Amino acid sequence: MSATQNSDVRTLLVKIFGKDRPGITAGLFDTLAAYSVDVVDIEQVVSRGRLVLCVLVTAPVGGATTEGELRATVHGWAESLKLQAEIISGTGDNRPRGSGRSHVTVLGHPLTAESTAAVATRIAATGGNIDRIFRLAKYPVTAVEFAVSGTETEVLRTVLATEAAGMGIDVAVVSAGLHRRAQRLVVMDVDSTLIQDEVIELFAAHAGCEDKVAEVTAAAMRGELDFEQSLHARVALLEGLDASVVDKVRTEVRMTPGARTLIRTLKRLGYQVGVVSGGFTQVTDDLKERLGLDFASANTLEIVDGKLTGRVVGEIVDRAGKARLLRRFAAEAGVPLAQTVAIGDGANDLDMLNAAGLGVAFNAKPVVRKAAHTAVNVPFLDTVLYLLGITREEVEAADGEGAEH
């Protein structure tokens, strides 16, 4: 057993506070090196240019006299740089983290002190301990991650979901571990997720039946109607529409804010990205080409003699179909299902969200928010990156010239 593993070994916690500048960390360790101490732990935080540097080291050999010299030397070095130093005696390493480890990501627009206090209080009430907090992003939302131990992920998720709803913030809870960064396939819904529109309503506007189609769509998304039946009912209203409308609808599609940033960042980080849609290949194929997607599947409108027939052809992409396609994409990508992320907003996305390693309800209907692993209710799709532990700085580094927002 090494000295640092022995809980009886005397250790010193050296804490340095003050204005940050290059060379402070190197200077402290140069100072400590004269006393032949071993480094047990290091943590450094800089906020608004103010540094907090904590170093846990073994006590120097030579007893109280040598330790006193070390203390005097460190304090003298700190004063010379107009820094403050505090040295606390103790034994052993930091206490081990408790079992049951989770990442709690909090999204606020803005993130208030009141909501942060509520989250921290709820974590403590479950028996969880906050081991570390750091900011993932400051725009387009404030995103903060808590590393929590001592309580189970599902318990935290249940408790914090209620708190989030009442405070107007988003709280996502995922298990800690290597698998979080290993999620290498992201599959998302299209209508009202990747894009802001419902594609069939764009077609319906050209057919003069937008209100009728919107009414059926809303009922289907709430889970009140069988999706396949509602699909056939809505498509039937498009019978006779000229096929030239397809090109017009493609130009009318509005991307969700952050969608391009999400896809671009995921691709540059080595992820594969796909879409599944209860909409139509006439639009998703175009999106696949424009956005560089790896996979795309949707229903296909039948066109005969330059006119829409009011029917769809081929395999129907419904609720069960989306989950089936997620599995198919994962198999083709060589990615275990546990390492997939699914994003959607409607009831017909539920099977897909539950089948994925991480299911994200994006600005979703209440029934979907309740059933998904986690929910995001801000209007920026790229906030999903924060749930994967990707910081805004990493997004901008991957993007080269900065983000979309």
Side-chain angles (χ1 to χ4, degrees), residues 93-137:
D93 197 349
N94 299 313
R95 66 179 177 84
R97 294 179 62 191
S99 60
R101 301 181 184 180
S102 306
H103 296 287
V104 177
T105 306
V106 181
L107 308 179
H109 192 54
L111 181 62
T112 66
E114 180 184 10
S115 58
T116 306
V119 169
T121 299
R122 287 289 188 177
I123 290 172
T126 68
N129 186 71
I130 299 172
D131 301 310
R132 188 182 179 215
I133 307 172
F134 62 97
R135 186 177 69 184
L136 292 166

Side-chain angles (χ1 to χ4, degrees), residues 173-245:
V173 183
V174 298
S175 298
L178 291 175
H179 65 278
R180 186 190 191 203
R181 285 279 192 158
Q183 289 163 322
R184 309 307 294 182
L185 171 66
V186 176
V187 177
M188 67 191 88
D189 174 44
V190 176
D191 293 11
S192 299
T193 300
L194 179 64
I195 66 174
Q196 299 179 61
D197 311 283
E198 292 287 332
V199 168
I200 196 166
E201 293 178 11
L202 296 179
F203 277 100
H206 291 280
C209 58
E210 186 176 13
D211 291 344
K212 292 181 181 179
V213 166
E215 184 178 335
V216 178
T217 298
M221 291 300 99
R222 290 192 301 267
E224 297 170 2
L225 293 177
D226 173 78
F227 178 81
E228 184 172 352
Q229 291 177 336
S230 70
L231 174 68
H232 289 304
R234 289 175 292 174
V235 171
L237 296 170
L238 307 181
E239 182 180 0
L241 197 60
D242 194 275
S244 63
V245 166

Side-chain angles (χ1 to χ4, degrees), residues 338-377:
Q339 293 179 8
T340 63
V341 179
I343 311 168
D345 75 299
N348 65 328
D349 297 315
L350 277 173
D351 289 2
M352 175 178 72
L353 297 180
N354 290 328
L358 176 64
V360 181
F362 179 73
N363 291 310
K365 314 302 182 288
V367 65
V368 182
R369 289 201 303 269
K370 185 176 180 180
H373 297 134
T374 190
V376 171
N377 296 299

Side-chain angles (χ1 to χ4, degrees), residues 258-283:
R260 289 186 177 87
T261 297
L262 172 66
I263 294 169
R264 188 167 58 237
T265 302
L266 290 172
K267 296 293 292 180
R268 289 177 177 175
L269 293 175
Y271 285 68
Q272 296 188 63
V273 184
V275 294
V276 291
S277 177
F280 309 110
T281 56
Q282 281 84 357
V283 171

